[in-house]
Amino acid sequence: MRAPHRTARSGWTLIEVVLASTFTVGVFAKAAFVMESALGLASDETASMHYEDQARRVMDRIGLAIMGSDRDTLFPQIEELHTNSIRYSFSLGLEDGEVVWSSPEEIRFLNAAGTGAIEWRENPGAAEERRVVWSNLVSPLLEGEEVNGLDDNGNGLIDEDGLSFVLEGNRIVIRLTLRRPEVDGRLVVESVEHVVYCRN
Amino acid sequence: MARSPRSLPTRGRQGFTFLELIVGMAVLLVALLIFSSSVSGVAKQRTVNRETNLAVAAARNLLETLRSEEFAEVYARYNADPDDDPGGAGTAPGNRFVVDGLDDTVDGGGFDGEILFPAVEDAGGTWQLREDVALPELGMPRDLSGDSIVDDDDHAGSYFILPVQIRVRWRSPIGTRQYEMTTQLCQYNKS
């Protein structure tokens, strides 16, 4: 009697199955790890870039608003100390040889229930006051800072808010930190710094 | 006579061989490598974009700072020569600056940024602001003192217009990067 021909369909040996399983599990685990890492990184970077862009846009608006003002008419006038609001007027041009100044405007930081905002106001406090919120993602404090009477982030300022103005000679240094929790609980924080010279 | 099932040809239904599995996995690995390298490339590009934003912001901020200075003192305060600083030797910021967040190991010395004027160093080691230097990127040679003459005098104390270039160099994930901003400063008459 002929012995059955088993070689062609004898399947894998146990060692082959173990090796193949280990290899397959390893490859798919690595693939899952790479995919998760890549997607996480991409998500972090995208959120970070989005808020950095937003911070720079807001900063440009603040810079352009203050740029046309006169350094001597800014309020408050405290040198080297930080403030979270600034009031200014800008030059509209000349009339009969005299500079015509705009209505007073103010950019200020608002902090309500842990949520910070930047508010622009025209004719602040007057009946015809207009106000616009430029951003409502402002961090209560500047990045790295804590309310402890110390300069935690090493920028020379103590306990500064998420929006701070510092008058240094003829220039104004503006610092802004935006902060927002993402849906997965991560906190995205972006800070920008801008220097403006008052042109008028 | 019916054939025994044991003798049926089994070639078409025997599944993958070990070799086929290895080849399949290798293809999968290569695909994975390509995917991860492209993700890594995108991440690098984003890092470069972020660093470029930092460099641009630093250059703009420095330019605003130069504008805020007394125009007649800008060259003396921000040139490479510490001896001519208005407040005494070495008291001015000088021509190098640091940009937080950038790798400053390109040129050594811990600085990322540099301020360039149309200046040349004479044989005695003194820097001179000159109209006759050939620096096309700064629009030179040109008249700086407003007398309509391009000469070889030192105009450090008599410039009417001041070409300036702010250059930031840093080491990024894709190699050494550089950002330049060039402008001309002039006396700004406040109303």
Side-chain angles (χ1 to χ4, degrees):
Chain A
M1 183 179 171
R2 270 178 66 187
H5 182 68
R6 301 174 66 93
T7 308
R9 58 187 187 95
S10 58
W12 291 339
T13 65
L14 182 61
I15 189 73
E16 284 174 339
V17 169
V18 170
L19 277 176
S21 303
T22 308
F23 192 53
T24 307
V25 168
V27 167
F28 278 100
K30 185 68 180 171
F33 175 75
V34 169
M35 292 283 280
E36 191 179 337
S37 301
L39 292 175
L41 183 69
S43 172
D44 286 354
E45 291 279 344
T46 303
S48 181
M49 285 181 68
H50 173 71
Y51 292 118
E52 186 182 344
D53 283 348
Q54 186 160 346
R56 291 199 187 284
R57 275 202 304 274
V58 173
M59 194 59 103
D60 282 346
R61 292 184 80 168
I62 297 171
L64 284 171
I66 299 173
M67 198 177 278
S69 67
D70 178 359
R71 166 68 177 79
D72 295 331
T73 63
L74 297 178
F75 180 83
Q77 282 280 337
I78 308 165
E79 286 252 359
E80 307 292 340
L81 291 175
H82 64 88
T83 171
N84 62 10
S85 70
I86 197 160
R87 198 173 285 202
Y88 59 92
S89 293
F90 58 90
S91 168
L92 296 172
L94 291 171
E95 191 173 296
D96 299 330
E98 294 292 320
V99 179
V100 180
W101 295 99
S102 70
S103 306
E105 296 182 3
E106 183 184 54
I107 298 168
R108 64 175 181 171
F109 170 71
L110 296 175
N111 189 7
T115 303
I118 297 175
E119 186 182 70
W120 169 86
R121 297 196 297 167
E122 187 182 42
N123 296 308
E128 63 273 26
E129 177 183 297
R130 286 197 308 146
R131 54 177 67 190
V132 178
V133 172
W134 281 354
S135 175
N136 52 14
L137 300 175
V138 187
S139 169
L141 294 169
L142 209 67
E143 187 173 4
E145 196 61 46
E146 292 174 14
V147 184
N148 55 9
L150 300 172
D151 177 19
D152 301 291
N153 53 14
N155 63 1
L157 307 176
I158 295 170
D159 297 352
E160 65 273 27
D161 292 321
L163 172 68
S164 80
F165 300 92
V166 179
L167 276 62
E168 294 178 354
N170 286 324
R171 64 182 204 152
I172 305 166
V173 182
I174 312 162
R175 296 181 177 90
L176 171 66
T177 295
L178 296 190
R179 186 185 74 165
R180 179 172 179 163
E182 290 294 285
V183 286
D184 58 2
R186 287 177 302 107
L187 202 59
V188 179
V189 178
E190 280 300 324
S191 298
V192 291
E193 183 177 313
H194 194 44
V195 177
V196 176
Y197 166 57
C198 299
R199 264 67 167 168
N200 289 299
Chain B
M1 180 182 164
R3 297 176 67 181
S4 162
R6 285 182 177 180
S7 62
L8 286 171
T10 57
R11 189 82 189 158
R13 55 186 181 92
Q14 70 184 146
F16 292 132
T17 64
F18 189 62
L19 183 64
E20 286 169 339
L21 184 70
I22 294 290
V23 170
M25 289 299 168
V27 170
L28 191 62
L29 269 179
V30 169
L32 205 62
L33 279 175
I34 292 170
F35 172 75
S36 59
S37 65
S38 45
V39 167
S40 164
V42 171
K44 274 183 188 170
Q45 190 55 51
R46 283 179 170 155
T47 303
V48 170
N49 288 345
R50 190 185 60 79
E51 290 176 343
T52 305
N53 281 341
L54 284 175
V56 172
R60 284 177 60 186
N61 286 348
L62 188 69
L63 192 56
E64 286 293 298
T65 301
L66 293 182
R67 284 196 177 113
S68 73
E69 298 280 357
E70 190 66 39
F71 178 66
E73 292 185 357
V74 170
Y75 172 71
R77 285 177 58 77
Y78 290 92
N79 65 10
D81 185 0
D83 294 331
D84 65 352
D85 293 350
T91 57
N95 70 324
R96 308 292 292 271
F97 60 98
V98 174
V99 183
D100 289 337
L102 297 185
D103 185 342
D104 55 15
T105 58
V106 176
D107 296 324
F111 293 99
D112 312 281
E114 187 177 12
I115 304 164
L116 304 167
F117 298 107
V120 292
E121 193 174 13
D122 65 13
T126 305
W127 287 88
Q128 294 187 346
L129 184 67
R130 295 273 287 269
E131 296 178 332
D132 59 340
V133 292
L135 289 171
E137 64 270 26
L138 284 175
M140 302 299 292
R142 65 161 295 161
D143 172 32
L144 298 180
S145 57
D147 60 2
S148 303
I149 301 168
V150 174
D151 55 40
D152 60 357
D153 296 337
D154 179 11
H155 289 279
S158 61
Y159 57 86
F160 172 79
I161 192 164
L162 184 62
V164 58
Q165 183 175 76
I166 299 167
R167 179 185 294 167
V168 181
R169 279 163 60 85
W170 72 99
R171 194 182 303 282
S172 82
I174 59 170
T176 300
R177 303 273 299 166
Q178 179 167 304
Y179 176 78
E180 292 174 351
M181 182 181 281
T182 305
T183 189
Q184 294 180 340
L185 302 177
C186 59
Q187 181 71 51
Y188 198 82
N189 290 318
K190 284 196 164 193
S191 52

